[in-house]
Each structure stands twice: as C-alpha cells, then as structure tokens.
Amino acid sequence: MPCSKQPNHFQSLMLLQWPLSYLAMFCILQPLFIYLLFTPLWPLPALYFAWLFLDWKTPEQGGRRSAWVRNWCVWTHIRDYFPITILKTKDLPPEHNYVMGVHPHGLLTFGAFCNFCTEATDFSKIFPGITPHLATLSWFFKIPLIRDYLMANGVCSVSQPAIDYLLSHGHGNLVGIVVGGVGEALQSVPNTTNLILQKRKGFVRTALQHGAHLVPTFTFGETEVYEQMLFPKDSWMYKFQSCFRCIAGFYFCVFYGQNFCQGTIGLLPYARPIVTVVGEPLPLPQIEKPNQEIVDKYHAFYMDAVQKLFDQHKTQYGFSETQELVFL
C-alpha cells in the first residue's frame, strides 16, 4: 500500500476533533447536565431530558438528519487528510431501496463515515435521489447529545425496527450495514483483507423481506491507516478485550499511528488514501418469510459480488494481483 505522507497540522487537528467531540460529550457534557440539575440552572437539563423522553423513538423511526451538519467544513478537512474518495461503478435508481454491505470495518470506519454520513465526497451528487444511512450500535442512541449528533449525520440504529422502518417508508433509502461488526475490528491489520461474512446472513434476510436491492462495497485503505497489536486468544489481554466487549459492545483495540512529525508514533492515523468502491446493486425478490435455502442462495450471490468487486479493483488501489480476499 502507499506510504503515508507528512500530515497537515490543521487537517490533523480537525481529525482529532472528531473522536474528541465524542469524548467531550460523553465524559464532560453529560456529567455537567446531571450536575446542573442540582443548581439554579436546573430547568436547562430538565427541559432536555423531557425532550429526550418525548424523542426516544426517533432513532428507530427514520432519525433526524441535518443537511447543515452533513456539510460542515470539518468533514472536508478529514477527507483531504487521507484523502478519502468514493467510486461509483453503477447507478442506484432512486425508485428502489437498498441494503448496502460495508466492508471492511477497519478500526474507526473513516471511509464509510466520510462517504455516507457527510457530503464531503459529494454523495448526493454522485447518487442523486438516494438518502444514505449508516447503521451503528443501538446503545449509542441511548446516550444524550451523542444520539442527536449521530442522527444529524444520518446515522441510524442497527436494530431491526430501525432498519425495517427505513426500508418500508418511501423509496431511495440506502441503509449501510458494517456486516463484520466490531469483531472485524480485530482483523484490521495493514496488508490483510479478512472479512467476517460467511455466517452473517441477517442483512440478506432483511433485504429479501423488503425487496431491497443488495449493494456490495469495499473500502480500500481502511485497514492501512493504523497498526494494531494482536494478542493470542489464551492471553489475559485478549480475555480483557472480550470482557470489555461484553460490557461496552465493542473491543478495546490497542493501536497506533503517527504523530504530527512523520516517523514518530502517535494516535493520528497514517495519511494514506481511502477509496470506497460501490458495486452494482443485486436485485432481490420480496419474500415476507424467506426460508434458509433462499437466504443462503442470495447470500452466496452477494459474497461472489464482493469477491468480484475486490478482484477488479485491488491492483488499482495498492494490492498485488495475488492478494486474496478471505471470508471468515
């Protein structure tokens, strides 16, 4: 894969702002809200929590996206840091709904977020009439403020009711599911192409139930921006990671990148190109209760499509002709 370039300091600060904003909302603003309940300013958090109660089901009913948030200039700086791009191979007609498989997960899913949750790469111009939603862990939408921030970007819950709602209300909805999930984050090592997909078939069943087309994608470079320390399954660190996942819903990954000065270790990702290739949609029939045989059939079609997409573009984006895509 390409060597990383010297990071632009301003773009680096913009990139750090992304995870730091989550940290600030989770570790600072929420305790502050609770503290304010016991001060003369208690009406402010009280009003928000009242709003939260009334708005509780919104994440499972289409969310509340904001064109203003999706067009923040910070996203263009993040795009330019790597840079991040999107490649369309076929049109997505807006008269259909779509379930899009996002591969691979990577550590922080930079490519999928920038391409589908912002307008930094001009998604709406490339796919006119299509409204993208990227599904993530449901518990994020139970956290005050973070839920509102995510919904504004077009992120939705990966829960079945949330996906069913989007695929059954109107047309032109595209729901992106990171099929490998958090387990695939542990497979995120440079120069590897491992996808947890063989037994992940729920997204195919959902697409069949709604007659939604399946869209294969592959993000080249997603696993190249960080180095990760992997631990044997019988080590105490791996057991800690598994325990952490049971509590938090995701793995505690030990990774590193670069610092502001090239050649030094830090938490900034390596500035290497990330390209999301969006493949040709696979039409599916609508079957209210598909049996396992039907699900297996279309799942096999989908895996073949991901394999072909990878093989067609791998040499163009840094892999050798002999690089194999491994399905786990």
Side-chain angles (χ1 to χ4, degrees), residues 8-60:
N8 177 288
H9 285 192
F10 180 73
Q11 292 172 352
S12 300
L13 290 172
M14 293 297 99
L15 189 64
L16 284 175
Q17 178 182 319
W18 180 8
L20 288 176
S21 64
Y22 284 91
L23 185 64
M25 285 188 284
F26 188 76
C27 298
I28 300 175
L29 293 182
Q30 292 190 75
L32 178 62
F33 265 41
I34 295 173
Y35 167 75
L36 290 176
L37 285 171
F38 302 95
T39 71
L41 297 176
W42 65 266
L44 294 178
L47 285 172
Y48 178 81
F49 286 124
W51 160 253
L52 182 64
F53 175 78
L54 296 173
D55 194 55
W56 191 251
K57 293 185 178 180
T58 299
E60 295 189 348

Side-chain angles (χ1 to χ4, degrees), residues 14-313:
M14 293 297 99
L15 189 64
L16 284 175
Q17 178 182 319
W18 180 8
L20 288 176
S21 64
Y22 284 91
L23 185 64
M25 285 188 284
F26 188 76
C27 298
I28 300 175
L29 293 182
Q30 292 190 75
L32 178 62
F33 265 41
I34 295 173
Y35 167 75
L36 290 176
L37 285 171
F38 302 95
T39 71
L41 297 176
W42 65 266
L44 294 178
L47 285 172
Y48 178 81
F49 286 124
W51 160 253
L52 182 64
F53 175 78
L54 296 173
D55 194 55
W56 191 251
K57 293 185 178 180
T58 299
E60 295 189 348
Q61 296 177 346
R64 185 174 51 252
R65 64 201 298 116
S66 166
W68 176 66
V69 173
R70 288 174 58 87
N71 282 281
W72 280 353
C73 64
V74 63
W75 310 131
T76 62
H77 292 295
I78 292 174
R79 175 201 65 195
D80 295 339
Y81 174 88
F82 292 97
I84 297 173
T85 55
I86 187 170
L87 175 66
K88 178 178 73 172
T89 61
K90 295 287 182 179
D91 289 332
L92 299 181
E95 59 265 23
H96 302 293
N97 286 324
Y98 302 89
V99 174
M100 176 181 65
V102 177
H103 314 281
H105 184 288
L107 281 165
L108 295 179
T109 324
F110 288 114
F113 183 86
C114 195
N115 284 318
F116 306 125
C117 300
T118 80
E119 288 298 327
T121 55
D122 293 325
F123 180 91
S124 295
K125 294 179 181 177
I126 296 172
F127 296 102
I130 300 297
T131 303
H133 304 265
L134 184 64
T136 190
L137 296 173
S138 300
W139 71 267
F140 280 134
F141 296 93
K142 295 177 173 57
I143 305 175
L145 300 177
I146 287 181
R147 66 191 295 277
D148 303 289
Y149 173 67
L150 290 175
M151 283 194 290
N153 281 107
V155 180
C156 69
S157 168
V158 78
S159 69
Q160 193 65 50
I163 296 173
D164 287 339
Y165 184 94
L166 290 169
L167 296 178
S168 60
H169 286 72
H171 300 290
N173 288 314
L174 180 147
V175 181
I177 300 175
V178 188
V179 180
V182 294
E184 203 170 80
L186 285 183
Q187 304 292 327
S188 181
V189 179
N191 300 315
T192 61
T193 47
N194 300 332
L195 302 183
I196 298 178
L197 183 56
Q198 280 190 343
K199 298 181 180 180
R200 301 290 175 93
K201 302 178 181 181
F203 71 105
V204 177
R205 184 180 299 276
T206 297
L208 283 166
Q209 290 171 339
H210 293 277
H213 293 196
L214 281 176
V215 181
T217 71
F218 194 92
T219 300
F220 292 90
E222 187 67 58
T223 61
E224 308 299 320
V225 297
Y226 278 118
E227 300 284 351
Q228 181 176 189
M229 296 180 63
L230 301 181
F231 304 95
K233 290 189 176 181
D234 59 350
S235 68
W236 69 266
M237 188 60 192
Y238 183 85
K239 293 175 182 177
F240 168 74
Q241 289 178 313
S242 299
C243 182
F244 187 88
R245 181 190 178 182
C246 292
I247 297 171
F250 56 91
Y251 284 104
F252 183 91
C253 296
V254 181
F255 60 90
Y256 62 91
Q258 64 183 349
N259 209 327
F260 287 100
C261 298
Q262 194 171 26
T264 59
I265 293 176
L267 290 179
L268 283 172
Y270 296 114
R272 295 169 178 165
I274 296 176
V275 182
T276 298
V277 182
V278 181
E280 181 178 0
L282 307 176
L284 268 63
Q286 185 169 8
I287 305 174
E288 185 177 352
K289 295 181 180 180
N291 59 39
Q292 193 60 48
E293 183 180 357
I294 293 294
V295 173
D296 290 345
K297 172 186 174 181
Y298 285 100
H299 182 263
F301 288 164
Y302 177 81
M303 288 182 63
D304 287 343
V306 174
Q307 180 72 66
K308 290 176 183 177
L309 192 69
F310 176 78
D311 289 340
Q312 288 171 359
H313 297 275

